[in-house]
Amino acid sequence: MRLAHVKDVSSIEGIRDNQLMGYGIVVGLQGTGDSTQTIFPLQTLVSALERMGVNLQSSPLLSTMRTQNMAAVFISATLPPFARPGNKIDVTVSSAGDARSLQGGLLLMTPLYGPDGQIYAEAQGPLVIGGYAVALNGSSKQYNFPTTGRVPSGGIVERAVPLELNQMHSFSLLLRDADFHTAETMAQSINKSMARNLAHAVDSRRIALAVAPGEDAAALLARVQEVEVQVYPRAKVVVNERTGTVVIGGDVRLQPVSILHGGLAINVVTEYQVSQPNEFGQGTTEVVPQTTIQAQDKAANRIELKQGATVDDLVQDMQQIGASARDIISILQAMKAAGAIEAELEVL
């Protein structure tokens, strides 16, 4: 159990971000753009020049144009709630072709579309790259990913998502982690703080709020979001097998259990020997492999957790036996299967 503000553990239904996406070109690159093998950057350039009155469709030199100083890119951005025309947003630019780096590039004006196909913003500006790529005389060095960059405040909102609070007669709070106990406790805390029967839990995730006629909805939500509630998060253990990362929550409880952990090491060694015929023989020289298999069965390490053992005790015991992150993940999965961990085990 812990205390948290309503705004930290829930969101308001209907008040949300919206994803935007667009396709455009980045120019001004120093020979690190798309190669001639990528067709669509050239098509994009021709279309952009046609809008400016330059017609290259009938030019015999169209097939010989070089695009190393430009790159086709996809642009993504997030439109926050209540954004109005003229507000600025950050945009992320990623290469869509085989460009080596977007360093020093300038994003040309690109419309950003919403899921409904309407234009909600325009993006343009110089890129900020968090890495670099250098190649000279066959040697190369790269830091981070220079094919993705950002344009801070590079997007300007052109269309707002319609949302009028004063026309809404009810709201719903959505818990980020569904839990009946937390939902009921939140509704009671809101009613106690507002001194009236305002909220009630609908299910394990949704708490409904009733707005009185003529009440200021913005002021009401501001007061509700500042209410402190008791939150009962689920006990959870999260493991990432790809990186060997293990995160164990403090609410995890352990049951008495004994763990035996050991391994069998097998080493296969192959040596090659040359077999030659006699001096006047009719045979041929042959390479004969000699394979030796060595097996070593390691002694099993034992961990014993008694009643009242904590997560810290488990981690210390694992470190004492020299268990690696991969070993710890296997042990945790086995403990969960044996019912020795009272928590949800999530494998990423």
Side-chain angles (χ1 to χ4, degrees):
M1 181 188 69
R2 59 184 175 89
L3 286 177
H5 289 95
V6 170
K7 62 182 179 181
D8 295 329
V9 295
S10 66
S11 60
I12 302 175
E13 185 178 14
I15 301 178
R16 41 158 289 181
D17 295 333
N18 291 277
Q19 302 295 326
L20 305 179
M21 188 184 71
Y23 169 81
I25 57 176
V26 170
V27 298
L29 305 179
Q30 193 175 3
T32 59
D34 293 326
S35 65
T36 55
Q37 296 178 351
T38 308
I39 300 176
F40 50 87
L42 180 59
Q43 295 176 344
T44 306
L45 177 61
V46 172
S47 300
L49 292 176
E50 283 184 350
R51 290 195 298 268
M52 298 179 182
V54 181
N55 188 2
L56 297 176
Q57 293 290 352
S58 59
S59 175
L61 301 178
L62 181 61
S63 60
T64 61
M65 290 182 61
R66 300 173 64 87
T67 58
Q68 279 80 359
N69 288 350
M70 60 165 287
V73 293
F74 280 105
I75 302 97
S76 62
T78 300
L79 184 67
F82 306 112
R84 300 300 180 187
N87 291 148
K88 294 185 177 181
I89 57 177
D90 297 339
V91 299
T92 302
V93 181
S94 301
S95 173
D98 58 357
R100 299 194 307 273
S101 175
L102 300 179
Q103 186 175 6
L106 172 70
L107 174 66
L108 296 185
M109 184 179 293
T110 304
L112 301 181
Y113 299 89
D116 57 356
Q118 300 293 326
I119 297 176
Y120 285 88
E122 297 280 349
Q124 181 174 276
L127 271 67
V128 177
I129 306 297
Y132 62 84
V134 180
L136 181 64
N137 297 329
S139 299
S140 62
K141 184 178 181 180
Q142 178 175 322
Y143 177 75
N144 285 342
F145 298 95
T147 53
T148 298
R150 290 179 63 83
V151 184
S153 301
I156 299 180
V157 178
E158 301 292 344
R159 182 197 300 265
V161 177
L163 180 61
E164 298 295 336
L165 290 181
N166 294 330
Q167 298 179 0
M168 301 178 66
H169 304 290
S170 63
F171 295 93
S172 293
L173 299 176
L174 302 179
L175 290 176
R176 293 187 174 90
D177 295 323
D179 182 74
F180 282 104
H181 194 180
T182 302
E184 184 62 29
T185 303
M186 180 178 291
Q188 294 175 0
S189 299
I190 293 174
N191 293 336
K192 181 179 179 180
S193 176
M194 304 297 291
R196 62 189 175 99
N197 191 17
L198 171 67
H200 72 277
V202 178
D203 50 38
S204 62
R205 186 179 296 273
R206 181 167 170 257
I207 297 96
L209 302 177
V211 181
E215 188 173 11
D216 189 343
L220 173 65
L221 293 176
R223 295 175 58 189
V224 167
Q225 287 192 325
E226 289 301 320
V227 175
E228 280 193 341
V229 299
Q230 293 180 349
V231 181
Y232 302 87
R234 292 184 178 181
K236 180 178 291 189
V237 177
V238 180
V239 298
N240 190 328
E241 291 187 322
R242 296 185 298 273
T243 62
T245 304
V246 181
V247 179
I248 304 176
D251 296 331
V252 176
R253 296 182 181 180
L254 305 178
Q255 295 296 329
V257 66
S258 293
I259 304 171
L260 296 179
H261 181 69
L264 177 66
I266 301 178
N267 187 22
V268 180
V269 179
T270 302
E271 296 180 354
Y272 294 92
Q273 298 181 357
V274 178
S275 175
Q276 295 184 346
N278 295 329
E279 184 175 357
F280 299 101
Q282 300 299 322
T284 59
T285 301
E286 298 289 343
V287 177
V288 181
Q290 300 291 331
T291 302
T292 304
I293 300 178
Q294 301 174 351
Q296 181 181 1
D297 195 0
K298 298 180 181 180
N301 296 306
R302 182 182 179 184
I303 299 175
E304 184 175 354
L305 299 177
K306 298 181 180 180
Q307 186 71 33
T310 63
V311 174
D312 185 60
D313 297 333
L314 174 63
V315 174
Q316 289 182 3
D317 290 342
M318 289 184 178
Q319 290 177 343
Q320 288 179 1
I321 67 173
S324 64
R326 309 272 180 194
D327 295 333
I328 294 175
I329 292 175
S330 299
I331 293 173
L332 290 175
Q333 290 177 337
M335 291 178 63
K336 176 62 178 178
I341 296 182
E342 293 181 357
E344 177 184 354
L345 181 62
E346 180 177 351
V347 182
L348 302 179

